Amino acid sequence: MAVPSRKLNIGVVGLGRMGQRHALNILHHVPRARLHSVCSVAPHEIQWAKDHLQPEGVIIFSDYDQMIRMKGLEAVVIASPTALHVEHTLAAVEQGVHALCEKPVTTDLSSMRGLVEVAETSPNTKVMVGFVRRFDEQYQAALQKIQEGAIGDPIIVRSQGAEKLDKSGFFIEYARQSGGIFVDTVVHDIDLTLSFLGEDIKPKALWATGLIVHHHELKDCQDADNAVGVVEFWGGRIAHYYHSRTTAHGYDNCTEIIGTKGKISINLVPHSNRVQISNSSGIVQDATPGWIDRYREAFVTELNQFTDAILEGKKLPLRLESAYSGLHIALALQESLRTGRKIEFDENGVRRE
């Protein structure tokens, strides 16, 4: 009789939309993991856990310190509010509990540097940031093609993330605490850029601009609902980002990598399926409704690879230092958006004042 393989006991802190998705994925789609426990301070999230998770034997906490000290807990997925990410991650590392933290880890670069340094002094406790697009099969296939030399040397990345207009009011409250459009959303594209062009690549100069088209409340926090950013890297490479929170047709997320011998295009037309309707209105095809639908399988892949790395003692698929570099660029773009100023860096990526 085959001996059953050991399962990793994982907890989830924060049971908003993201935390619920992680919890259900661990419960149903990560065969080498067991959903050990969950934690939230919100009464409606606790009730959701009682309805959906408690019948499966999942332990429910309203106190994170109690949860993180619970015997048997080996790893935690941190989907709490951004302001608590560093605190919760450091508490996990202190207890020897591995951590997968949602982005942005923080909106403060010094806090991120502190987390990197703590993680480096605790090499047996793994810490990873949840940049889910790296685990999407289309982006993974693109990276493989680049590594195989299919387009020569990659020199330009053009990436877009356009989200459907939310008129419910939820977005405004979220945006006020998100750190801004570059820190909250473009940071995904920055992370992809580092994976395509090289994680050690350094910014040379960057600038950003934006508009407020629908969400005029964003003026109070000096943010935008449509923004463009350009980053020039040392070594003659460029990244161009366009992000919107006001599209009419759905979630429109696409990327192109231009090389010296060709280009790779990913999801240029955001189809949700391959069904087309041709009639007097023309040719119609449904668009992807939202980012959760677009990256449904990538969230599962991310958790599976995180679990495998811990159980097998392998390196994580995403370096924490790379997340620091991405946040460094995102925060500078956000500042450029606010001030209208171009920001420059020396060859070590250190900002020129």
Side-chain angles (χ1 to χ4, degrees):
M1 181 181 296
V3 178
S5 60
R6 188 176 84 79
K7 291 192 175 185
L8 185 72
N9 287 324
I10 304 181
V12 176
V13 56
L15 291 173
R17 181 167 56 169
M18 182 67 74
Q20 290 179 14
R21 173 162 295 274
H22 282 308
L24 292 174
N25 280 339
I26 295 167
L27 195 62
H28 299 297
H29 303 298
V30 185
R32 301 185 72 186
R34 177 186 293 110
L35 184 60
H36 173 277
S37 52
V38 295
C39 179
S40 176
V41 296
H44 68 283
E45 292 179 3
I46 293 289
Q47 188 59 52
W48 179 88
K50 289 179 178 179
D51 294 341
H52 296 87
L53 305 179
Q54 199 169 51
E56 303 291 338
V58 179
I59 306 168
I60 302 172
F61 289 93
S62 58
D63 186 302
Y64 179 65
D65 287 336
Q66 290 182 3
M67 173 185 170
I68 209 69
R69 289 175 168 80
M70 181 71 176
K71 185 177 180 180
L73 182 66
E74 297 173 278
V76 63
V77 176
I78 297 170
S80 49
T82 299
L84 297 173
H85 282 180
V86 170
E87 176 185 336
H88 285 166
T89 304
L90 289 174
V93 173
E94 183 180 344
Q95 295 297 318
V97 175
H98 309 286
L100 168 59
C101 183
E102 273 302 328
K103 47 58 57 190
V105 177
T106 176
T107 58
D108 178 70
L109 196 61
S110 61
S111 295
M112 184 67 195
R113 170 48 62 191
L115 177 59
V116 172
E117 292 172 353
V118 169
E120 288 175 346
T121 63
S122 306
N124 294 325
T125 304
K126 298 183 184 296
V127 180
M128 189 175 89
V129 180
F131 283 113
V132 69
R133 293 186 196 173
R134 285 218 198 188
F135 300 91
D136 175 68
E137 61 179 358
Q138 296 176 24
Y139 283 109
Q140 290 186 335
L143 179 58
Q144 183 175 346
K145 293 295 185 185
I146 291 171
Q147 293 172 341
E148 292 171 353
I151 60 170
D153 294 327
I155 53 174
I156 295 176
V157 173
R158 184 190 71 82
S159 201
Q160 168 180 308
E163 300 179 36
K164 194 170 184 178
L165 177 63
D166 172 26
K167 298 180 180 180
S168 69
F170 167 81
F171 167 74
I172 293 300
E173 293 307 312
Y174 170 79
R176 288 188 175 122
Q177 305 174 47
S178 70
I181 192 167
F182 286 100
V183 175
D184 182 48
T185 61
V186 182
V187 70
H188 277 292
D189 302 83
I190 297 169
D191 179 68
L192 285 173
T193 300
L194 296 176
S195 73
F196 294 141
L197 301 183
E199 292 190 347
D200 295 326
I201 196 168
K202 304 298 183 184
K204 181 179 181 180
L206 59 79
W207 54 97
T209 187
L211 302 167
I212 299 177
V213 181
H214 286 281
H215 299 296
H216 296 285
E217 299 91 336
L218 292 175
K219 184 177 181 180
D220 297 336
C221 49
Q222 297 180 293
D223 200 6
D225 57 19
N226 283 263
V228 173
V230 176
V231 183
E232 179 186 6
F233 294 94
W234 289 97
R237 297 176 181 184
I238 296 172
H240 173 279
Y241 307 120
Y242 164 62
H243 271 244
S244 172
R245 289 159 166 166
T246 64
T247 60
H249 57 282
Y251 181 58
D252 195 342
N253 176 212
C254 61
T255 303
E256 286 188 302
I257 307 99
I258 295 91
T260 54
K261 297 181 180 178
K263 74 173 181 177
I264 294 173
S265 302
I266 305 161
N267 200 44
L268 291 190
V269 181
H271 298 155
S272 64
N273 53 52
R274 299 185 181 184
V275 177
Q276 291 183 333
I277 299 173
S278 301
N279 56 26
S280 59
S281 299
I283 300 175
V284 180
Q285 190 163 8
D286 291 338
T288 304
W291 57 267
I292 282 184
D293 304 272
R294 170 66 179 85
Y295 294 109
R296 186 183 306 276
E297 296 302 321
F299 280 110
V300 175
T301 302
E302 176 185 62
L303 284 167
N304 274 303
Q305 291 194 19
F306 176 69
T307 299
D308 290 345
I310 294 171
L311 290 176
E312 298 173 16
K314 300 188 301 186
K315 289 184 178 180
L316 290 168
L318 201 156
R319 290 171 32 203
L320 197 56
E321 184 67 37
S322 180
Y324 172 85
S325 298
L327 180 62
H328 186 203
I329 294 171
L331 286 169
L333 283 167
Q334 196 71 38
E335 180 180 338
S336 180
L337 173 67
R338 292 194 307 268
T339 64
R341 297 176 182 173
K342 180 179 179 180
I343 297 175
E344 298 182 338
F345 306 82
D346 66 19
E347 293 187 16
N348 295 315
V350 177
R351 181 169 166 172
R352 298 183 191 274
E353 296 299 338

